[in-house]
Amino acid sequence: MAKNVISDETIEYVGILAKLDLSGAEKEQAKADMGNMLDYIDMLNELDTTGVEPMSHVFPVHNVFREDVVANGDDRENMLANAPEKKDGCYKVPKTVE
């Protein structure tokens, strides 16, 4: 038998948060499922984790991104060299909003 008993109010609240319209049978099933999940978590809490280092992922995760270093700097003239139209050091584009 389940140790964790979920109340009707909790199921109603979770249903509202999840924007679910549950029937009576679905609410009863959800209560049983949530109770089983909490029972399983309680069972996991009984495990001896002495000496086990906490981790956020099962596999080692390393940042593979490079440093964000500017390589080309402010090369405005070269960037604007092929622009069809330019004005005051900026691209000139047709007006799109009236």
Side-chain angles (χ1 to χ4, degrees):
M1 179 157 176
K3 294 185 288 183
N4 290 290
V5 179
I6 308 301
S7 69
D8 292 334
E9 292 81 21
T10 301
I11 290 297
E12 284 292 328
Y13 184 65
V14 170
I16 290 168
L17 290 176
K19 299 183 188 286
L20 297 174
D21 186 18
L22 301 173
S23 68
E26 289 171 327
K27 287 178 185 177
E28 290 303 316
Q29 183 62 49
K31 282 171 50 175
D33 290 344
M34 287 179 72
N36 288 336
M37 285 186 268
L38 293 174
D39 290 343
Y40 185 71
I41 291 169
D42 286 345
M43 183 178 70
L44 290 175
N45 286 335
E46 294 173 6
L47 295 174
D48 180 18
T49 56
T50 306
V52 177
E53 186 176 331
M55 63 178 111
S56 61
H57 295 83
V58 177
F59 300 106
V61 177
H62 303 286
N63 186 353
V64 295
F65 299 113
R66 64 171 170 74
E67 288 294 320
D68 190 14
V69 178
V70 177
N72 60 353
D74 184 19
D75 196 10
R76 183 182 296 209
E77 292 307 315
N78 283 333
M79 288 189 261
L80 291 171
N82 293 322
E85 292 186 54
K86 51 192 163 204
K87 179 179 179 184
D88 299 327
C90 298
Y91 295 101
K92 185 175 178 185
V93 296
K95 186 175 182 180
T96 58
V97 179
E98 296 296 325

